[in-house]
Structures are given as C-alpha cells and as structure tokens.
Amino acid sequence: MPTKSLHIPTADGQADALAAFPDGGERHPGVLLYMDAFGVRPVLREMARELAEHGYYVLVPNLFYRHGPAPVIDLPEHIGQEIRPAVFAQLMPLIETHTVERALSDADAYLRFLTTQPEVSPRPVAVIGYCMGADVAMRTAADHPGQVAALAGFHPSPLVTDAPGSPHRLVSKMTAQVHLGLAENDMPPKAVSELNQALDAAGVDYTCEIHPGTVHGFTMSDTDAFNPSALQRHWDRLLPLLESALADR
C-alpha cells in the first residue's frame, strides 16, 4: 500500500503530512485523518494504511507543524503511564497554541489540498479524529458542511464545554453522517446526554456510543490505553459509516 510524505501549503507556512492510498492510478474517496495529541507517528501510519486498503485516499497532517516536522517531540516506541506526565509536559505548549482559529484556517488548507489530489474522487470527503483530533474534526465538518459527508471521532477530548464555541454547539451546521465512539472516562454522563440532545435537536444522522471497559486513547496500540477489542469495534463502526456516506457520492 503506497504511502508518501507531503507538504501542504497553509496560511502560516507548510504542514508536513503523510498520505496512504491504493495503487493503480484510480481515484478514491478522500479521508482527512486528524491525529491524537501524541502526533503523527507509526501507529497512525498503520491506521492510514488500513483505511487505504479499503479503497480510500487518507491524508494525515501534522497539526503541530508550526513547531517543526513530525515527530515534533521525541516519543518512545511505547508510551506508558510512567512517562505520560513528562511527555505531556512537552506537548501542552503545542496543544495550547493550536487555537480554534488556527485549526479552522488549517482545515481550509487540508481540505483544499485533499480534494485536488489526482488520486482523490471529486466528491465530498470524510473527516476522522482521535483525541484532540475529534474536536478538530467536528469543527471541520461544521465549517465545511458541503464538503464533509462523514464525520467520526474516537476517544475525543471534551466535546461539551461552557465555551460559546463548544463543539456541541456547532452540530446544527453539519450535514455529515456522524459516529462518535467514547471511552468510559471521556465525558461525564451529563455531558454525553447534552451532546446527544444537541445532535438530536439538529436532526443529525448519528450514532454515539461508549466503548465498555475502555479508557481514553483505546485505539492507539503504542499506549497503555490500548484495547484490542475496542479497536476492532472502532473499525466495525468506522468502515460502514464511510461506505454509507461516501460510496454513492
């Protein structure tokens, strides 16, 4: 499965990215995959390849490109609980400077780049996000309703906050089919209920479920949070969503 390194022009420079896609010269539905807080690394490359094997062109940008190419910080092969505090001490300044304004400006650039690749079909795309990437994915889908036909978020950062721009307040702008897969500790029950109420009120075609026995980060095989059965359940939800939303467009 071919992969290649790319550079995406943005308002603030160039974002490095990786792409995975089927070989053979045909065009395929596009998927924009937003990383978790640990960044673009081998586990995300493998997830992109897995998606590409199902017939998608998958673009994975380095959201922290303003601070350097991926990997922006040195990461061990396995991110265990004992080193998480030290890793997040390095990551938090990067996360804090990735503002909503920057995220939306970058999303414009990522979608423009993705949809103009010769291997990508001229149709709406899917946006997938993990951890902090789920927040960005929701904002991207809300800001580009005509371009995003499918939205998936897994073990997201909080999607319900008191902020005027909380992701759950944006769902009325979406036209995408949506799936959200939460870990048991991602959001309190009241917040999950409020999220579902917002999606219901907006008339969004969605599913939202809590993966039992999981903690935040359950899809990432290079962390202690990894849960193999939950990762499989994630694929069991994600692939039909993409097939339904993108196949006939």
Side-chain angles (χ1 to χ4, degrees):
M1 189 62 56
T3 62
K4 63 180 178 181
S5 298
L6 300 166
H7 288 88
I8 303 172
T10 74
D12 292 331
Q14 287 198 332
D16 55 300
L18 68 87
F21 51 92
D23 203 358
E26 298 178 351
R27 303 180 82 177
H28 305 276
V31 175
L32 175 58
L33 192 158
Y34 284 126
M35 67 190 209
D36 63 349
F38 293 125
V40 180
R41 60 197 192 283
V43 67
L44 288 185
R45 183 181 294 272
E46 290 309 309
M47 293 176 83
R49 282 177 172 160
E50 176 78 14
L51 276 173
E53 287 177 358
H54 290 274
Y56 300 100
Y57 180 106
V58 187
L59 181 67
V60 188
N62 168 24
L63 302 187
F64 298 150
Y65 70 90
R66 293 174 180 83
H67 304 274
V72 180
I73 69 168
D74 291 330
L75 290 172
E77 290 186 9
H78 185 82
I79 306 166
Q81 286 296 120
E82 72 284 355
I83 63 168
R84 281 178 68 93
V87 171
F88 268 97
Q90 298 178 72
L91 288 174
M92 284 311 298
L94 312 185
I95 295 170
E96 289 169 354
T97 58
H98 192 256
T99 62
V100 171
E101 292 75 19
R102 285 182 168 182
L104 292 179
S105 174
D106 289 344
D108 291 345
Y110 301 152
L111 288 174
R112 184 166 54 249
F113 184 89
L114 174 62
T115 56
T116 55
Q117 295 309 292
E119 302 90 352
V120 176
S121 304
R123 62 180 76 172
V125 303
V127 181
I128 306 168
Y130 300 86
C131 181
M132 63 173 282
D135 176 299
V136 181
M138 286 192 72
R139 296 181 187 281
T140 301
D143 211 43
H144 298 270
Q147 285 186 284
V148 179
L151 162 66
F154 295 93
H155 44 83
S157 56
L159 301 177
V160 177
T161 72
D162 293 332
S166 172
H168 81 289
R169 303 185 196 280
L170 307 176
V171 297
S172 63
K173 300 178 180 180
M174 296 179 186
T175 59
Q177 294 183 41
V178 177
H179 175 75
L180 300 173
L182 312 180
E184 287 188 343
N185 65 338
D186 278 331
M187 293 190 290
K190 181 179 179 182
V192 176
S193 177
E194 191 170 348
L195 174 61
N196 288 335
Q197 289 172 15
L199 290 161
D200 285 334
V204 175
D205 180 0
Y206 81 98
T207 54
C208 180
E209 67 176 338
I210 297 174
H211 290 240
T214 58
V215 296
H216 184 75
F218 59 78
T219 64
M220 298 299 163
S221 61
D222 60 352
T223 75
D224 282 352
F226 179 55
N227 184 310
S229 62
L231 174 63
Q232 184 57 52
R233 188 169 178 168
H234 141 281
W235 289 121
D236 292 343
R237 300 296 188 267
L238 177 59
L239 294 173
L241 171 73
L242 299 182
E243 177 68 19
S244 172
L246 303 183
D248 297 327
R249 288 174 176 265

